[in-house]
Amino acid sequence: MTHPYSRIFLLSHMRAYSSLLGHIIGSHPRINGYYEMHQSYLSDADLAQQIADYSQHDSLKPDSHYQFDKLLHNDYRLNVSLPALQDAVIFIALRQPEPTIKSIIKLFQQKSSDDLYAQPTGATDYYLERLQTLTDFAQQHPQRYYYFDTEKVCTDTDRLLSQLQQWIGMAEPLSPEYGSFAKTGVAGAGDTSPLIHTGKILPDFQEALDDVALDATLLQQATQAYQSCRQQLIHNAKDSLAST
């Protein structure tokens, strides 16, 4: 089976600016894909399914070369040993624990206070388990991915986009302004806030979280896990863009 598209994957976690970055990447004329497709990539059939599912809602761009997806949950796995993924570009990115966990809690409390992720323990457990999976991936696949601190999407935009362009190997730059697509703002596909429709990075993307409480013990546990995971990710990365 032939695969005309090379793949770009972002491995991260919820509330890490992945919707914003996905739209920036997916607005590039050479790249299809901008939202989380909620599937694993373990076989050639999965790669074909990615194209088929994406094409149901969005048209493949003429002369495009890459297909993008982001994996934010441990339910979805990536088999980098697939021959068709030998040239895949893989990014791993982390956001610091306190704003991440508080943002998860705030998001899911707006949906239902009974949701597991609306509770500090549930949100923290998700974060810890996701970091462990990303650590395992880094240790199993050293030099196979690029790492960046995902805060740089908002705080060091131009430098990050230039670095991503270089890592992907494209001649055309990534723009900080982006388009809207069929699933922009749709629940289950990424960020549902009105901000994702603005088409550019705004200071408001750094949401106010002072009203969300997080137990000091949980935060300490998450902070230790973040520091350990981030160290491993940087150590095993092919290259990285991280704050000192």
Side-chain angles (χ1 to χ4, degrees):
M1 181 182 298
T2 59
H3 296 278
Y5 295 100
S6 295
R7 261 52 181 203
I8 302 170
F9 293 106
L10 171 63
L11 310 184
S12 188
H13 52 77
M14 291 190 292
R15 313 311 290 167
Y17 304 115
S18 64
S19 290
L20 180 57
L21 184 57
H23 276 70
I24 290 172
I25 291 174
S27 293
H28 192 280
R30 298 275 282 165
I31 303 174
N32 303 299
Y34 56 95
Y35 64 95
E36 184 179 12
M37 300 194 70
H38 299 286
Q39 71 163 85
S40 293
Y41 297 90
L42 303 177
S43 67
D44 280 347
D46 292 333
L47 296 172
Q49 192 65 50
Q50 178 193 24
I51 301 294
D53 290 349
Y54 180 81
S55 300
Q56 287 183 3
H57 304 281
D58 293 272
S59 299
L60 296 169
K61 299 170 186 172
D63 301 320
S64 55
H65 180 71
Y66 300 94
Q67 193 76 22
F68 168 80
D69 195 7
K70 56 180 181 174
L71 283 69
L72 310 182
H73 299 273
N74 289 344
D75 292 339
Y76 309 116
R77 295 176 292 152
L78 178 63
N79 178 11
V80 298
S81 65
L82 280 178
L85 295 183
Q86 292 303 301
D87 66 344
V89 178
I90 301 170
F91 303 128
I92 303 183
L94 299 182
R95 186 184 181 191
Q96 295 180 16
E98 184 171 6
T100 299
I101 296 170
K102 286 185 175 182
S103 184
I104 292 171
I105 295 168
K106 186 172 185 176
L107 173 67
F108 284 90
Q109 281 181 345
Q110 293 170 353
K111 298 179 179 182
S112 170
S113 60
D114 295 330
D115 194 290
L116 179 65
Y117 295 150
Q119 309 304 320
T121 300
T124 303
D125 285 347
Y126 158 80
Y127 185 76
L128 294 174
E129 291 168 5
R130 186 61 183 153
L131 262 56
Q132 183 60 57
T133 296
L134 295 175
T135 299
D136 293 343
F137 182 94
Q139 292 174 339
Q140 293 164 9
H141 306 289
Q143 306 296 304
R144 187 62 186 84
Y145 65 91
Y146 302 96
Y147 174 80
F148 61 91
D149 292 330
T150 195
E151 289 88 355
K152 291 187 176 295
V153 174
C154 295
T155 64
D156 200 2
T157 307
D158 290 343
R159 185 180 176 201
L160 175 61
L161 298 188
S162 177
Q163 188 65 77
L164 295 180
Q165 175 195 350
Q166 179 181 326
W167 285 339
I168 295 170
M170 299 184 301
E172 308 92 337
L174 290 160
S175 170
E177 297 185 355
Y178 58 87
S180 291
F181 305 95
K183 289 201 170 188
T184 298
V186 175
D191 190 354
T192 57
S193 73
L195 289 173
I196 197 63
H197 292 281
T198 60
K200 58 184 178 180
I201 299 171
L202 299 172
D204 290 342
F205 274 110
Q206 311 230 18
E207 62 188 321
L209 297 168
D210 293 341
D211 57 337
V212 181
L214 183 61
D215 181 81
T217 302
L218 290 176
L219 179 57
Q220 181 182 19
Q221 186 181 8
T223 299
Q224 290 174 345
Y226 166 80
Q227 292 171 345
S228 176
C229 178
R230 183 174 178 271
Q231 183 179 31
Q232 285 292 317
L233 292 177
I234 294 173
H235 175 72
N236 287 292
K238 187 174 182 179
D239 194 8
S240 64
L241 183 59
S243 303
T244 56

